[in-house]
Amino acid sequence: IHDGGLTILGGAIVGIVVGVLWFMWRNKGYSIAIGVDMIVPTILLAQAIGRWGNFFNCEVHGVISDIKYWTWLPEIIWRNAQFSSTGPSLIGTNQLYVPLFLIEGIVNVLGYFILSYVFGKLFRKHTEFGDLAFGYVVWYGLTRTFMEPLRDGSFNMGEDGCWSWIWSIVFIAAGVLLIAINHIVRYYVATRKKKETKNYNNNHLIFTLVLGSISILLMVIGIVVMTTNQGP
């Protein structure tokens, strides 16, 4: 807190807790699973907006690239991408740092619409409440997986940068596993319980346990990352 700033994990956890509590307070009687599915995907929009901070600070950018591939962007973007907060104040006139903030922002906005509208509406009958929240974990991991090779080495975790990619895979695996558990447990409960009220209460409890598990998982990952990160 005193040296480093807010991480995405901290922002996501606080955003989920506050958002879900607000939803449950304003919509009493709804399952917490509905609230989480509504709140969590919107974090992708928040991330897309937040990445513009990297643009203005000239940080968390990509590797050096030829400027001719990026001049189709607004001039303010590709000119600002020639500066870095960690490297030379200005690289060659024919080069720039890959604007990861823009790429990740677009991918995050795309992820929001896929989770909220494709799986949240078009394929709603094939999903369970809670899948969209866990889908965020998968999307976050997928985004990190293909973004890390483009990232400047000074912004990767660990001396060789492999930790960034490893944790991306961990997020994907955790999200997929939680979605599978969510479906299996709900199917088991639905086939075992006949009374609607009994079924609802069990689903509510089960989802709460699953949500708690993923929260613990994220905290453990954060602790491990902090203890193993050697810095650039």
Side-chain angles (χ1 to χ4, degrees):
I1 295 176
H2 72 282
D3 183 16
L6 179 67
T7 66
I8 182 60
L9 293 181
I13 292 174
V14 173
I16 292 172
V17 172
V18 174
V20 172
L21 289 178
W22 174 263
F23 174 85
M24 299 305 296
W25 177 62
R26 295 298 300 271
N27 302 274
K28 294 180 174 62
Y30 282 86
S31 168
I32 188 175
I34 299 176
V36 172
D37 269 0
M38 293 180 62
I39 298 300
V40 173
T42 62
I43 296 177
L44 290 170
L45 296 180
Q47 289 177 226
I49 297 173
R51 288 305 176 192
W52 280 87
N54 299 146
F55 166 72
F56 291 113
N57 293 334
C58 301
E59 61 185 4
V60 196
H61 52 67
V63 296
I64 296 176
S65 176
D66 196 312
I67 200 171
K68 67 180 181 181
Y69 300 118
W70 304 93
T71 51
W72 55 273
L73 292 172
E75 185 175 354
I76 186 175
I77 293 181
W78 59 262
R79 284 196 180 277
N80 199 64
Q82 293 182 294
F83 295 86
S84 174
S85 61
T86 59
S89 58
L90 177 65
I91 58 176
T93 56
N94 295 321
Q95 295 177 315
L96 54 64
Y97 296 101
V98 174
L100 288 189
F101 84 95
L102 183 62
I103 300 174
E104 185 170 351
I106 294 174
V107 172
N108 285 336
V109 172
L110 177 64
Y112 166 75
F113 283 102
I114 290 177
L115 290 178
S116 297
Y117 292 93
V118 176
F119 290 101
K121 294 185 180 296
L122 295 179
F123 299 137
R124 180 77 267 186
K125 65 179 180 179
H126 301 296
T127 62
E128 296 285 356
F129 289 121
D131 284 351
L132 302 189
F134 299 141
Y136 164 81
V137 181
V138 176
W139 191 268
Y140 181 81
L142 288 172
T143 303
R144 296 263 63 80
T145 299
F146 81 84
M147 292 286 289
E148 293 307 319
L150 299 175
R151 190 185 302 280
D152 185 277
S154 60
F155 298 108
N156 283 326
M157 292 187 296
E159 293 181 348
D160 54 4
C162 66
W163 277 111
S164 298
W165 188 78
I166 291 174
W167 288 120
S168 302
I169 302 301
V170 170
F171 271 97
I172 297 173
V176 172
L177 178 62
L178 288 169
I179 291 174
I181 293 175
N182 190 32
H183 279 252
I184 293 172
V185 172
R186 285 178 179 274
Y187 176 79
Y188 176 81
V189 172
T191 55
R192 289 284 182 172
K193 306 298 180 181
K194 296 182 179 180
K195 293 183 179 180
E196 183 177 352
T197 54
K198 183 77 172 179
N199 189 36
Y200 171 81
N201 291 333
N202 276 276
N203 282 340
H204 186 85
L205 175 61
I206 291 169
F207 186 81
T208 301
L209 293 174
V210 174
L211 182 62
S213 299
I214 191 173
S215 299
I216 295 174
L217 174 64
L218 290 175
M219 287 187 289
V220 170
I221 290 175
I223 293 173
V224 174
V225 168
M226 287 187 295
T227 56
T228 56
N229 182 16
Q230 302 297 321

